[in-house]
Amino acid sequence: MFPYFIMLIFCGIPLFFMELSFGQFASQGCLGVWRVCPLFKGVGYGMMVVSTYIGIYYNVVICIAFYYFFSSMTHVLPWAYCNNPWNTPDCASVLDAANLTNGSRPAARPSNLSHLLNHTLQRTSPSEEYWRLYVLKLSDDIGNFGEVRLPLLGCLGVSWVVVFLCLIRGVKSSGKVVYFTATFPYVVLTILFVRGVTLEGAFTGIMYYLTPQWDKILEAKVWGDAASQIFYSLGCAWGGLITMASYNKFHNNCYRDSVIISITNCATSVYAGFVIFSILGFMANHLGVDVSRVADHGPGLAFVAYPEALTLLPISPLWSLLFFFMLILLGLGTQFCLLETLVTAIVDEVGNEWILQKKTYVTLGVAVAGFLLGIPLTSQAGIYWLLLMDNYAASFSLVIISCIMCVSIMYIYGHRSYFQDIQMMLGFPPPLFFQICWRFVSPAIIFLQAQVHRRLPQNPLHFGPLRERNVLLHQLPQRRGVPGHGPPAPQCPARTYAAAVQSKQGTYCEPAGRPGPAHSGPAPKPHPSPPAGITASWRCLFCPSLADSQRPRFQATAPRSREVETRV
């Protein structure tokens, strides 16, 4: 947690405040605000691209949560036992194993039960097989799309319809919905937390969650992951903060809002960790294994590990309904912001009278386009592409966009002018801590992270179950001139996209195909240095109207023609 909080204090909160003040002062979306310096308008387009990528695959995650929510409306959860048509002989349920001990819960570490469940790598849980073999019907290769999973396609349509209806009147309608989607998850978290901490073994899981691994504190990857997590959780560089702040009143205290929202957001993440690991600790205690054996991340945690742990609770369908309903609400809150970002940017960029009056049709068009682009992600290979988009399209790119935005505002537009704009808007200049972070600390940390990230060995991206099978999604080429860079030798002499195959006798590798050609591309070209003489005087070159000191320097000269809306 130490890298997480360091990145929060020196990068997360300062950049969160910068984006809120930037959007509130200009009263424009993520494209319109760059009238401050048209040279960097590409940053706004970058924000739109990131929001588009995230909006496409994020709604697919919501549709899977819808599917699990509907599947939980039964007396027995379908992933509780191994007696379903899709289960394999390797399936071993914790409930089935508990029945072998006559239903009694062992008082000590159940070594016999642990041996029964974990003596072979071929053991797969029913929740894992439900996820892979029934929900996804996972293909064996990223290029083998197979068929579109019609249940997931239907749930994807439901999720996009819900998002559109909640945004049909812009932030006026979404603001009312957010009252529920932003508060009710806290009720569900509290219910799950109270239930979790009362279970046997919950303390073990919480201690595993809180115990720092000091041997990894100096690893660059840990700090890079912390930076990506901060930017992703706070929404920096998505364009959503600028868009939502543009609907604020001009003199709204966005400094207070940024501090409260940032701290509340990260405190909620920590609180949710207690909820998750209390249940995982109970599951580890039930199986007699270490918590690290049942903990997972990404889709494996939300749709495999945690659902399996819920099957051990009394009235498990009720807890499953609450959990996936919470996931749906959290996802919808984020999706509202992403869709509104794209719609606002389009409307502000076109800016004519027709599109201002037909904003609902723009929202509908963006929703339909998002649904169509999400259809390939509901195929049998869709989860592979979803993970590729999540890991490469919308992770470290957020850090780079924030760095460029910070530098352009502080050194091209000018830090003195920006501080004066904030004082005009709030009645006081930004605190000294934020001034130092904006000018020196935050850009330096982000730039250092970017340079270290370039030199880190990029391991191949895999998708597999909790521990055993893996499908190699992407093999990165060896980077020229970087010693030791590149993925480690794979366990199987497989081609670029390959899978490890299991049999009852053990795990073996498919025969390797024709080896791919070695990377022989030209050496990367050096980045061109900026033109000499770039100073703050460029502000007058690109924004001649900013010289008027009687009004905000980069606020639109004409009153906003779009309807006056207030963000809740």
Side-chain angles (χ1 to χ4, degrees):
M1 287 188 183
F2 181 73
Y4 180 82
F5 286 112
I6 292 296
M7 298 303 299
L8 169 66
I9 294 172
F10 291 103
C11 287
I13 297 178
L15 294 178
F16 193 92
F17 179 34
M18 172 177 281
E19 289 200 33
L20 285 189
S21 59
F22 196 23
Q24 180 174 310
F25 190 86
S27 296
Q28 294 287 311
C30 63
L31 289 181
V33 293
W34 290 105
R35 294 173 185 174
V36 60
C37 186
L39 180 66
F40 288 89
K41 192 173 183 178
V43 176
Y45 285 110
M47 293 178 175
M48 285 191 64
V49 170
V50 169
S51 294
T52 302
Y53 275 124
I54 298 176
I56 291 172
Y57 76 78
Y58 207 88
N59 229 17
V60 176
V61 177
I62 298 175
C63 89
I64 298 175
F66 265 114
Y67 186 85
Y68 270 79
F69 178 78
F70 295 142
S71 299
S72 301
M73 297 179 180
T74 180
H75 295 293
V76 179
L77 293 176
W79 57 86
Y81 295 98
C82 293
N83 56 354
N84 301 289
W86 58 83
N87 290 126
T88 66
D90 295 332
C91 180
S93 171
V94 293
L95 295 178
D96 290 335
N99 292 334
L100 296 178
T101 60
N102 298 323
S104 59
R105 179 177 300 175
R109 292 178 64 89
S111 56
N112 294 333
L113 178 60
S114 175
H115 177 74
L116 175 65
L117 295 180
N118 300 286
H119 73 284
T120 174
L121 291 178
Q122 295 176 357
R123 185 261 169 181
T124 55
S125 66
S127 62
E128 176 189 320
E129 294 194 348
Y130 180 78
W131 162 247
R132 292 169 59 90
L133 305 179
Y134 184 75
V135 177
L136 301 178
K137 288 191 176 179
L138 199 63
S139 66
D140 59 352
D141 192 278
I142 191 173
N144 180 15
F145 281 88
E147 63 180 12
V148 173
R149 298 284 294 119
L150 294 181
L152 294 182
L153 182 63
C155 292
L156 180 63
V158 170
S159 60
W160 274 112
V161 168
V162 171
V163 171
F164 169 71
L165 293 178
C166 292
L167 287 175
I168 194 169
R169 296 183 59 195
V171 295
K172 282 185 177 180
S173 56
S174 64
K176 296 180 176 62
V177 176
V178 166
Y179 277 120
F180 179 73
T181 61
T183 56
F184 188 76
Y186 286 98
V187 177
V188 178
L189 277 176
T190 303
I191 294 174
L192 293 176
F193 175 74
V194 173
R195 180 64 183 124
V197 296
T198 58
L199 297 172
E200 184 180 357
F203 181 76
T204 304
I206 293 175
M207 289 306 298
Y208 175 83
Y209 171 59
L210 295 178
T211 302
Q213 298 179 359
W214 295 110
D215 57 320
K216 296 184 178 181
I217 195 67
L218 297 180
E219 293 184 9
K221 185 179 184 302
V222 173
W223 292 88
D225 292 343
S228 298
Q229 177 62 29
I230 285 294
F231 282 89
Y232 200 91
S233 62
L234 291 180
C236 297
W238 292 20
L241 297 178
I242 294 176
T243 300
M244 292 303 176
S246 69
Y247 293 100
N248 284 344
K249 296 180 179 179
F250 183 74
H251 295 291
N252 176 66
N253 191 347
C254 58
Y255 166 69
R256 175 199 60 201
D257 295 346
S258 62
V259 174
I260 293 176
I261 294 174
S262 300
I263 295 177
T264 303
N265 178 281
C266 296
T268 302
S269 300
V270 175
Y271 181 45
F274 283 94
V275 177
I276 297 297
F277 279 89
S278 62
I279 299 291
L280 294 182
F282 164 69
M283 181 178 178
N285 179 78
H286 187 91
L287 296 176
V289 298
D290 190 74
V291 179
S292 61
R293 297 287 303 277
V294 298
D296 201 0
H297 63 280
L301 175 62
F303 300 114
V304 176
Y306 203 80
E308 183 179 16
L310 292 177
T311 61
L312 301 175
L313 299 177
I315 325 178
S316 54
L318 173 63
W319 305 112
S320 182
L321 283 170
L322 288 175
F323 175 71
F324 288 109
F325 186 56
M326 179 188 67
L327 289 186
I328 292 170
L329 294 182
L330 292 174
L332 289 177
T334 302
Q335 197 68 16
F336 294 159
C337 183
L338 293 170
L339 190 63
E340 184 64 31
T341 298
L342 298 176
V343 172
T344 301
I346 295 172
V347 171
D348 285 352
E349 186 67 11
V350 177
N352 57 42
E353 194 65 27
W354 181 87
I355 201 169
L356 292 172
Q357 295 177 355
K358 304 296 183 180
K359 185 178 178 181
T360 301
Y361 294 101
V362 178
T363 306
L364 177 61
V366 174
V368 171
F371 171 75
L372 295 177
L373 292 173
I375 291 178
L377 302 183
T378 61
S379 66
Q380 292 178 263
I383 191 67
Y384 301 148
W385 294 97
L386 188 150
L387 291 177
L388 282 177
M389 295 172 68
D390 182 46
N391 282 271
Y392 294 109
S395 57
F396 208 75
S397 57
L398 303 175
V399 179
I400 302 300
I401 291 174
S402 292
C403 181
I404 299 175
M405 180 188 68
C406 192
V407 170
S408 62
I409 294 177
M410 290 294 103
Y411 295 100
I412 305 300
Y413 178 64
H415 64 277
R416 291 187 179 88
S417 299
Y418 193 71
F419 297 161
Q420 291 173 5
D421 295 339
I422 292 180
Q423 185 169 9
M424 178 194 307
M425 181 173 60
L426 301 182
F428 57 89
L432 181 62
F433 171 77
F434 288 91
Q435 296 184 23
I436 295 175
C437 285
W438 288 345
R439 294 184 61 191
F440 307 110
V441 179
S442 297
I445 292 177
I446 296 174
F447 180 78
L448 181 62
Q449 286 285 346
Q451 294 302 311
V452 172
H453 180 78
R454 290 180 63 249
R455 290 166 171 79
L456 281 178
Q458 301 296 314
N459 294 325
L461 179 63
H462 288 81
F463 173 78
L466 296 180
R467 287 165 293 278
E468 298 88 13
R469 302 174 186 168
N470 279 318
V471 173
L472 181 60
L473 296 186
H474 181 56
Q475 179 87 26
L476 294 178
Q478 179 82 14
R479 289 185 180 169
R480 301 171 66 89
V482 183
H485 194 282
Q491 296 178 356
C492 302
R495 54 186 181 267
T496 301
Y497 302 105
V501 182
Q502 284 197 344
S503 68
K504 292 185 178 181
Q505 288 75 29
T507 303
Y508 66 94
C509 297
E510 286 183 338
R514 184 177 58 186
H519 179 69
S520 58
K525 296 180 179 180
H527 295 284
S529 56
I534 296 181
T535 62
S537 62
W538 280 33
R539 180 178 68 255
C540 298
L541 175 62
F542 290 107
C543 308
S545 62
L546 303 183
D548 186 0
S549 60
Q550 301 301 321
R551 59 180 178 81
R553 284 182 172 77
F554 55 94
Q555 193 177 17
T557 55
R560 290 177 61 83
S561 54
R562 66 183 178 189
E563 56 183 353
V564 179
E565 299 174 326
T566 304
R567 182 175 68 88
V568 177

